[in-house]
């Protein structure tokens, strides 16, 4: 559904992402894992149009997305749930969600309000605190809000940047389960970027390991979890990466 | 009782001028929150609104129609100003943008001299000149108009930013520009919207004050400065605090005019600005303030 070909993204003179190629199929969950500073967020920012790619192409259903503006990319069905949630903390939960559908709200208001109910069905916790200010929610609730807000854009591809960041293992599992559910019901494609390699790979179909801007390993998520070098580099040594 | 009636008199005139400052100060805050630019041409919108209304009403248009048309024209001028002067330079430094707004304010003032000359003009009060007596003080009907219209406009702004979808999108853009972009909200569009809105508010302020203190090509400078002081007192990002700041400045001015000398009123306002900047650079209400429109 989306295929990224030889994508490079720079920050100033620094080459952060170096000629990466990968694809995500319809209804597939794909993880990109790697340590801090590997370039994961830059990669997602490049796809979402926040950073203009230096080279390469991003094909989404035969349309080129590279160099398009963030607005156009949202309209084409690619939505990014950014790192550290970035919710509108002075707006209510419901306003946060409804603004997620900004790019289509004026055209299909009714549909948006129906989708709001769908999001509440996925996240009953949010439904219970509709009129609370987003900034007053707990970290896990804010992450759910950020994902819900992303869903309101009605994406074909939902990209999540470190949804597990700073959350308790139990909440991480809850959020991962919801992502699987979402994929199973709506067959939305999901591109998950994570430092929490175990949590990410355990719900993914395929995975890529990113190191200093390049993909160093790729394969079925299950086999990556068993891979000895991944175990050594990411799962065994550093206790902070363990669940 | 002499002193009480004088006190009331000064309070009324302070509230009147304060409500004018409030409208312009809100424009400052809205523009600053959304574009990061201090728009020093803000006061000129008041001048344009007042003089346009005077021209149209003396050309025979009914007053209410002249007011509406003038506000719409000034909103268009504001939008044009954003597209022609701010938008192309949006990636420049804040200092550059501020200098651009100062330059534009000269352009507006110069154009006003060409069109309306240097003589002051006057506008007839909205509903006669028969004073109303309250607590031994004399209140002009125009003062009631000023305070009433300002409060209505402020309520309208509150409604727009907190209850309408577009208003919430603007607010979201202020709170988190990055996330707003990811939702498909265009900051450039919000900037256009906010500057035309601020221009409309400024025009309204100028129109209301014209029957009280007259209108001339240079009225925008002082109005803009005072409103700027009010906005700074409120911390620049907080609209309700800017409104309080505006009323505070209005009342301080009225009292220093009444009890000291009218020559001192501007000096006192600027002294207040300096004191606030020295001791509470985030505004008098900084503890309560958040970044909201």
């Amino acid at each position: 559904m989306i295929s990224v070909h030889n994508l490079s993204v720079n920050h100033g003179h620094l080459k952060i992402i170096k000629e990466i190629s990968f694809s995500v199929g319809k209804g597939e969950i794909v993880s990109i894992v790697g340590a801090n500073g590997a370039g994961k967020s830059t990669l997602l920012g490049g796809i979402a149009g926040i950073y203009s790619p230096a080279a390469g192409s991003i094909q989404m259903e035969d349309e080129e997305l590279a160099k398009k503006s963030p607005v156009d990319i949202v309209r084409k069905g690619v939505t990014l749930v950014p790192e550290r949630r970035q919710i509108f903390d002075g707006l209510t939960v419901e306003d946060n969600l409804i603004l997620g559908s900004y790019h289509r709200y004026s055209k299909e208001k009714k549909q948006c309000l129906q989708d709001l109910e769908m999001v509440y069905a996925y996240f009953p916790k949010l439904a219970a605190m509709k009129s609370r200010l987003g900034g007053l929610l707990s970290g896990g609730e804010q992450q759910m809000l950020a994902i819900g807000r992303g869903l309101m854009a009605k994406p074909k591809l939902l990209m999540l940047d470190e949804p597990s960041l700073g959350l308790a293992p139990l909440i991480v599992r809850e959020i991962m389960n919801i992502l699987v559910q979402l994929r199973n019901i709506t067959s939305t494609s999901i591109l998950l970027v994570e430092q929490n390699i175990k949590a990410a790979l355990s719900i993914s179909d395929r995975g890529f390991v990113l190191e200093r801007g390049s993909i160093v390993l790729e394969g079925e998520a299950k086999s990556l979890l068993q891979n000895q070098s991944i175990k050594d580099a990411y799962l065994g040594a550093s206790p902070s990466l363990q669940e | 009782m002499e002193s009480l009636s004088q006190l009331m008199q000064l309070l009324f005139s302070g509230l009147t001028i304060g409500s004018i400052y409030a409208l312009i100060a809100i424009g400052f805050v809205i523009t600053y929150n959304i574009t990061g630019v201090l728009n020093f041409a803000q006061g000129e919108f008041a001048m344009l609104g007042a003089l346009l209304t005077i021209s149209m009403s003396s050309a025979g248009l009914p007053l209410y129609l002249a007011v509406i048309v003038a506000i719409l024209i000034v909103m268009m001028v504001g939008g044009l100003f954003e597209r022609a002067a701010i938008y192309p330079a949006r990636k420049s430094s804040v200092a550059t943008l501020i200098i651009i707004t100062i330059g534009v304010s000269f352009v507006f003032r110069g154009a006003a001299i060409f069109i309306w000359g240097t003589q002051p003009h006057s506008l007839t009060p909205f509903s006669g000149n028969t004073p109303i007596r309250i607590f031994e003080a004399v209140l002009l009907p125009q003062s009631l108009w000023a305070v009433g219209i300002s409060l209505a406009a402020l309520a309208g702004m509150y409604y727009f930013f907190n209850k309408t979808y577009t208003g919430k999108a603007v607010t979201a853009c202020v709170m988190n520009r990055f996330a707003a972009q990811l939702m498909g909200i265009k900051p450039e569009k919000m900037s256009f919207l906010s500057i035309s809105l601020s221009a409309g508010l400024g025009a309204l302020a100028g129109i209301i004050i014209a029957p009280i203190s007259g209108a001339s090509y240079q009225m925008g400078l002082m109005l803009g400065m005072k409103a700027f002081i009010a906005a700074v007192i409120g911390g620049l990002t907080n609209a309700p605090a800017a409104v309080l700041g505006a009323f505070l400045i209005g009342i301080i001015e009225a009292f220093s005019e009444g009890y000291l000398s009218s020559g001192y009123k501007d000096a006192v306002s600027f002294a207040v600005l300096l004191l606030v900047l020295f001791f509470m650079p985030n505004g008098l209400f900084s503890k309560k303030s958040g970044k909201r429109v």
Side-chain angles (χ1 to χ4, degrees):
Chain A
M1 190 178 72
I2 189 163
S3 64
V4 172
H5 192 68
N6 282 341
L7 186 73
S8 297
V9 185
N10 300 347
H11 274 326
H13 297 297
L14 288 179
K15 273 194 155 186
I16 307 289
I17 295 295
K18 300 158 191 159
E19 301 185 348
I20 283 187
S21 302
F22 67 93
S23 67
V24 184
K26 188 170 168 57
E28 205 179 13
I29 301 185
V30 172
S31 284
I32 295 181
V33 298
N36 221 349
K40 305 188 298 294
S41 300
T42 307
L43 174 61
L44 290 192
I47 299 174
I50 301 294
Y51 311 119
S52 183
S57 78
I58 305 164
Q59 292 277 327
M60 168 95 177
E61 293 171 339
D62 299 325
E63 254 185 291
E64 181 59 51
L65 294 189
K67 311 247 174 203
K68 280 214 158 68
S69 71
V71 181
D72 289 331
I73 290 171
V74 175
R75 287 203 183 116
K76 292 277 177 266
V78 178
T79 298
L80 171 61
V81 178
E83 195 178 358
R84 286 188 295 275
R85 358 251 187 245
Q86 309 273 5
I87 57 158
F88 304 120
D89 46 17
L91 292 180
T92 63
V93 167
E94 183 143 315
D95 286 346
N96 264 279
L97 290 173
I98 203 82
L99 282 172
S101 60
Y102 182 83
H103 75 93
R104 61 197 184 99
Y105 189 82
S106 54
K107 279 167 270 166
E108 35 188 282
K109 189 174 167 184
K110 261 197 186 144
Q111 185 61 44
C112 292
L113 295 175
Q114 275 173 25
D115 291 343
L116 185 65
E117 295 309 315
M118 176 204 78
V119 170
Y120 283 143
Y122 279 113
F123 302 102
K125 274 186 187 168
L126 296 183
M129 41 180 88
K130 280 178 194 182
S131 50
R132 194 173 297 182
L133 291 185
L136 300 179
L137 306 190
S138 73
E141 290 157 356
Q142 288 194 0
Q143 186 60 57
M144 291 176 191
L145 179 56
I147 296 174
R149 187 180 62 178
L151 289 178
M152 287 299 292
K154 208 156 211 184
K156 294 173 192 154
L157 172 70
L158 184 68
M159 304 192 292
L160 299 109
D161 196 347
E162 301 248 15
S164 79
L165 194 76
L167 300 184
L170 215 61
I171 311 276
V172 173
R173 199 168 308 150
E174 192 183 341
I175 285 175
M176 295 295 167
N177 287 341
I178 290 172
L179 292 180
V180 174
Q181 225 184 64
L182 180 75
R183 187 270 306 266
N184 293 346
I185 296 172
T186 60
S187 61
T188 306
S189 309
I190 294 176
L191 179 59
L192 185 59
V193 152
E194 264 297 346
Q195 273 188 71
N196 189 335
I197 290 171
K198 219 170 168 181
L201 287 179
S202 61
I203 65 157
S204 299
D205 302 309
R206 288 185 298 128
F208 295 86
V209 179
L210 196 65
E211 244 173 48
R212 269 170 269 148
S214 304
I215 288 171
V216 292
L217 208 61
E218 58 178 280
E220 298 278 316
K222 275 188 200 115
S223 64
L224 284 180
L225 269 175
Q226 300 306 319
N227 185 301
Q228 196 56 46
S229 57
I230 288 192
K231 278 184 178 171
D232 291 345
Y234 297 105
L235 300 178
S238 159
S240 66
L241 291 175
Q242 285 182 331
E243 256 196 59
Chain B
M1 282 323 276
E2 177 82 7
S3 61
L4 179 70
S5 81
Q6 194 190 6
L7 188 84
M8 293 306 292
Q9 191 71 58
L10 293 173
L11 196 63
F12 285 147
S13 85
L15 289 175
T16 307
I17 189 78
S19 64
I20 308 289
Y21 294 159
L23 285 177
I24 307 176
I26 293 272
F28 263 113
V29 172
I30 294 173
T31 307
Y32 180 74
N33 269 344
I34 291 161
T35 62
V37 175
L38 284 171
N39 180 10
F40 281 107
Q42 186 66 34
E44 309 308 324
F45 295 133
M47 176 271 289
L48 289 177
L51 290 172
L52 279 169
T53 307
I54 290 170
S55 290
M56 282 187 288
S57 118
S58 60
L61 222 57
L63 186 62
Y64 72 95
L65 210 59
V67 169
I68 294 170
V69 174
I71 291 175
L72 290 178
I73 293 177
V74 174
M75 284 180 81
M76 280 192 278
V77 171
L80 194 72
F81 156 67
E82 197 274 343
R83 280 297 113 158
I86 301 291
Y87 181 80
R90 65 193 182 285
K91 298 215 166 102
S92 333
S93 72
V94 172
T96 310
L97 286 165
I98 291 175
I99 292 167
I100 289 175
T101 69
I102 295 175
V104 169
S105 76
F106 286 130
V107 172
F108 283 153
R109 236 171 290 156
I113 294 181
F114 269 117
I115 302 172
W116 291 285
T118 52
Q119 293 302 311
H121 299 257
S122 64
L123 182 63
T124 47
F126 296 175
S127 56
N129 240 339
T130 327
I132 308 162
R133 299 191 74 88
I134 309 172
F135 299 120
E136 308 289 311
V138 179
L139 188 60
L140 289 176
Q142 189 63 27
S143 295
L144 287 180
W145 277 109
V147 176
I149 291 179
S150 300
L151 292 180
L154 297 178
M157 284 298 110
Y158 178 83
Y159 180 83
F160 173 71
F161 283 113
N162 292 287
K163 303 287 172 209
T164 67
Y165 192 75
T166 310
K168 283 173 189 170
V170 180
T171 311
C173 198
V174 172
M175 285 175 186
N176 193 328
R177 197 186 177 91
F178 172 70
Q181 261 180 303
L182 292 178
M183 318 281 96
I185 298 172
K186 284 185 187 162
E188 297 87 10
K189 192 178 153 195
M190 299 295 137
S191 147
F192 177 77
L193 198 67
S194 64
I195 292 187
S196 4
L197 203 63
S198 308
L201 287 173
L204 185 61
I207 296 168
I208 298 172
I209 191 126
I212 298 173
S213 59
S216 71
Y217 77 98
Q218 55 179 356
M219 70 188 278
L221 183 64
M222 255 319 162
L223 282 177
M225 282 300 163
K226 297 297 172 53
F228 173 65
I229 298 176
V232 170
I233 287 179
L236 261 186
T237 55
N238 184 337
V243 172
L244 286 178
F247 281 109
L248 195 66
I249 283 294
I251 291 170
I252 288 175
E253 270 191 7
F255 280 117
S256 48
E257 201 171 11
Y259 290 125
L260 295 170
S261 146
S262 60
Y264 281 133
K265 71 168 190 178
D266 295 339
V268 171
S269 305
F270 286 109
V272 170
L273 172 67
L274 289 179
L275 287 176
V276 169
L277 287 177
F278 282 147
F279 297 108
M280 304 188 84
N282 292 321
L284 284 185
F285 313 99
S286 54
K287 262 182 211 149
K288 304 185 264 187
S289 82
K291 213 181 175 199
R292 288 204 80 175
V293 231

